[in-house]
Amino acid sequence: MDALFLSRLQFAAATYFHFLFVPLTLGLSILIAVMETKFARSGDDEYQRMAKFWGKIFLINFAVGVVTGITLEFQFGTNWSRYSRYVGDIFGSLLAIEATAAFFLESTFIAVWALTWNRLSAKAHAVTIWLVAFASNLSAVWILTANAWMHHPVGYTLRGGRAELTDFLAVVTQPFAWHTILHTLSGAYILSGMFVMGVSAYHLLRRQHVSFFSRSFRMGTVMALIFSVVAVVHGHVQGSEVARVQPSKLAAMESLWETKQRAPQYLLVIPDEKRERNRLELGALPGVLSLLAYHDVNATVRGLKDFPKEDRPPVTLTFLAFRLMIGLGFLFPVLALWAWWKRHRLLESPRLLKVMLYSIPLPYLACQAGWTVTEVGRQPWVVYGVMRTSDAVSPIAASQVAVSLTAFIVVYSLLGLVAFVLMARYAKRGPAMETAQS
């Protein structure tokens, strides 16, 4: 194993771990802000207790997310210094804006919010959590804009062996970035809504804190239902954008080897990457892939063999991750609609509550699968069509990366174990302890 492979493994491990915590921060901050707003407007103490209970889980989740995000940025200097030198003018400027305009705001007001429960008025305290929610999501917007540039580089010129920024507006307004932002945030809100529904279901199955968790469940349902529909509808739009700017990724997502006009969509496919074909293709729907990708049933869709072997992404992993994401993506609106239908009869619906409890991991799986499609499908490029991943790695020894990779796995495993145990323990305990402490 060389430094390139180990560095890719290290960055992937750190990113997957980091992204276990980010989506819940984005959505839960909004739900807590809504709870505090309801308390400020109605004076109903239960909404304040809800904000405090879910706020404790939010703080644990936020702390681990911040720690793991900072180490990711360090890796651009330690493991990917050639990448940083080549595109630092563009990528670095977006990360700098994220840190100064969003992360500082988020970090400042999360401290204000956590420490001023009895010192600010209800309305002023609600404003602090809205600022946290706004800054958290603004932070995601800047980071996703930077990531989108790696997939569809615009607004730059190559000069002196480096990519230099020439059109900032082109970078921040390009459609690919906004499609990425909308789809990723939708996934985060689905995860947050289903997390709240799952934890609430745990308590409702035990018939404890019924009013408290019925309200929480309904709020989570609204968020999950709205954004699961948005994710499905927008997922189709984003797929068309991928077909336009990254046709090799689309071919890998569908395991399409031959370029075809009126390309079919198969109901069942088993890729055979070594032989550059599919071992099994069942249930062909003629023209459907052309229609989905280009909104034209007679459109031509480029197959993998239309690209040099060295420019193709890994097919099997991209294909399987895409299928997992799509399958779960269609399941979520069904679950959310079922929950919405039963929202006023939750105690009479134990089957729904059990399903929602055991569904907590599913949106996490969907988000991880989505990132796999996005990042693995971009390979072998670190900046699509401009810089290969193999040219971006730092000139360091494999032994150095092996040491840091081992340290990451050990430390992150312990950190993750502690975080999830704390969150699970607090979630199971319920709001009774919260009331006693307040």
Side-chain angles (χ1 to χ4, degrees), residues 103-288:
F103 182 66
F104 285 165
L105 179 66
E106 178 186 25
S107 302
T108 300
F109 278 94
I110 202 168
V112 173
W113 174 75
L115 299 173
T116 58
W117 280 103
N118 299 317
R119 299 179 183 180
L120 294 178
S121 68
K123 289 183 180 177
H125 201 263
V127 169
T128 64
I129 188 63
W130 274 114
L131 286 172
V132 171
F134 169 74
S136 298
N137 285 269
L138 181 62
S139 176
V141 167
W142 284 112
I143 290 172
L144 291 170
T145 301
N147 179 268
W149 185 84
M150 296 166 69
H151 289 266
H152 187 228
V154 295
Y156 74 101
T157 186
L158 295 177
R159 184 182 299 139
R162 301 170 66 245
E164 296 183 359
L165 184 64
T166 58
D167 189 345
F168 181 75
L169 279 181
V171 174
V172 300
T173 60
Q174 65 155 319
F176 192 86
W178 287 99
H179 285 305
T180 301
I181 291 165
L182 180 57
H183 198 65
T184 306
L185 290 183
S186 295
Y189 300 153
I190 294 168
L191 184 150
S192 303
M194 291 189 66
F195 179 88
V196 170
M197 293 163 72
V199 173
S200 300
Y202 172 84
H203 291 280
L204 291 173
L205 282 166
R206 287 157 180 77
R207 295 180 179 268
Q208 52 195 23
H209 314 292
V210 171
S211 173
F212 182 102
F213 282 110
S214 293
R215 283 180 168 180
S216 297
F217 189 98
R218 287 193 285 269
M219 290 179 68
T221 299
V222 171
M223 175 173 268
L225 179 58
I226 291 172
F227 287 99
S228 60
V229 173
V230 170
V232 169
V233 174
H234 177 261
H236 164 66
V237 177
Q238 192 179 16
S240 299
E241 188 70 5
V242 169
R244 185 177 70 84
V245 304
Q246 292 184 327
S248 61
K249 178 190 285 186
L250 177 75
M253 288 159 59
E254 298 294 344
S255 190
L256 181 70
W257 294 95
E258 307 290 344
T259 297
K260 292 181 180 178
Q261 187 182 21
R262 200 176 171 79
Q265 178 79 53
Y266 293 98
L267 298 179
L268 178 62
V269 172
I270 299 178
D272 187 348
E273 200 164 347
K274 283 187 178 177
R275 293 181 174 83
E276 298 186 344
R277 64 181 179 84
N278 291 326
R279 192 174 304 166
L280 178 68
E281 293 177 341
L282 286 179
L285 304 174
V288 171

